């Protein structure tokens, strides 16, 4: 299982977060450190759950400070959970998050929830929709909201079968199929898939045709050079390039969120593109082609990347501070493949 990613920027009271703030544009906070401005309380409705029971967590977030709190909406508990803000263990082992992985643009004012001093926000989440509850055992539950951690709650949970994924589209004569797309969207997505394949091929050719070493392109996006790291990157782009060339990829256009795209890592090779995807350039930084590289890297059967940082600035900082995470970061893979501006 990949490591759990940190998700929230540090809480700022009475101040606007910078527009470029993403899930990892700041340092990780200490796990379990309680914010002095937010009080987060987690509760379950029972102490034991059968295999047919929904495991619904109720969360209340109270602003105990004196100023209005601005909370990033996608990093909050919600019925349609978008980030793994809950921390689950079963018999001491981490429980995998199986929800969607999103590529998002920079946060805007509308992406924040205002919580006034003394105000409480209450949310409920069916955890079985987003976490692998297939194993029976003693579970513990916690939720992290911005820089605050909740209490830990325990319950006995009987394992249940994973919900079946929808059947993949029937293969066609070509390598691509489309769902919920207009003809114009199909044409744009098909061109983007071709660009993504070319980007992946070019990244792979660079890694296999260049003498391994601390090149500017490698160190900018993946940090300090190591032979093992270079080999990992080569393996990743080999799998990504092969997937675009040989696998049946389905692009679904139903998403109306203000994001680029998302995937479920355990459901290759299905890519859901969203509103921002259609306004992105075909190539270059944060492009349509690069977005598809980003999403393809998430699949467990390709590179199994996570989202440790978004945006070029945050990814460059991640490469400097944590090369291991940079090699596990989807946006870093996208920017290395887009190579804009071009680096030797």
């Amino acid at each position: 299982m990949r490591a759990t990613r940190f998700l929230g920027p540090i809480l700022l009271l009475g101040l606007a977060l910078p527009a470029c703030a993403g899930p990892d544009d700041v340092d990780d906070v200490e796990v379990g450190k309680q914010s002095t401005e937010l009080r987060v309380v987690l509760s379950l409705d029972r102490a034991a759950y059968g295999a047919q029971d929904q495991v619904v967590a109720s969360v209340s977030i109270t602003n105990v400070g004196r100023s209005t709190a601005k909370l990033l909406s996608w990093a909050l508990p919600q019925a349609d959970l978008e980030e793994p803000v809950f921390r689950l263990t079963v018999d001491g082992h981490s429980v995998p998050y199986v929800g969607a992985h999103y590529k998002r643009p920079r946060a805007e004012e509308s992406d924040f929830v205002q919580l006034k001093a003394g105000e409480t926000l209450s949310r409920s989440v069916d955890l079985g929709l987003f976490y692998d509850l297939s194993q029976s055992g003693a579970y513990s539950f916690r939720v992290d909201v911005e820089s605050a951690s909740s209490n830990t709650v325990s319950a006995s949970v009987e394992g249940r079968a994973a919900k079946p994924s929808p059947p993949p589209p029937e293969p066609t004569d070509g390598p691509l199929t489309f769902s919920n797309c207009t003809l114009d969207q199909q044409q744009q997505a098909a061109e983007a898939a071709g660009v993504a394949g070319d980007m992946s091929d070019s990244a792979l050719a660079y890694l296999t045709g260049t003498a391994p070493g601390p090149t500017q392109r490698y160190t900018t996006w993946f940090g300090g050079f190591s032979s093992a790291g270079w080999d990992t990157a080569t393996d990743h782009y080999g799998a990504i390039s092969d997937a675009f060339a040989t696998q049946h990829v389905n692009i679904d256009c139903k998403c109306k969120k203000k994001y680029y795209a998302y995937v479920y890592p355990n459901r290759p090779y299905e890519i859901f593109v969203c509103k921002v995807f259609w306004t992105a350039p075909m190539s270059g930084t944060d492009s349509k082609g690069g977005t598809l590289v980003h999403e393809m890297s998430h699949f467990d059967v390709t590179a199994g990347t996570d989202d440790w940082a978004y945006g070029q600035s945050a990814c460059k900082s991640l490469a400097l501070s944590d090369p291991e995470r940079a090699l596990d970061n989807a946006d870093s893979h996208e920017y290395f493949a887009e190579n804009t501006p071009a680096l030797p």
Side-chain angles (χ1 to χ4, degrees), residues 88 114 121 144 153 165 197 231 290 296 307 312 327:
L88 277 62
Q114 303 278 347
L121 177 68
D144 295 338
V153 180
S165 300
D231 290 344
M296 187 64 79
D307 290 312
Q312 285 197 342
L327 281 164

Side-chain angles (χ1 to χ4, degrees), residues 41-45 49 54-61 76-82 85-86 121-131 143 145:
V41 178
L42 170 65
S43 63
L44 302 174
D45 63 350
Y49 294 88
Q54 290 182 317
V55 182
V56 178
S58 297
V59 181
S60 66
I61 306 163
L76 292 174
Q78 53 189 303
D80 182 18
L81 192 65
E82 293 190 3
V85 296
F86 290 86
L121 177 68
S122 298
R123 299 277 178 83
S124 294
V125 181
D126 181 357
L127 297 176
L129 299 177
F130 306 101
Y131 291 86
V143 62
V145 177

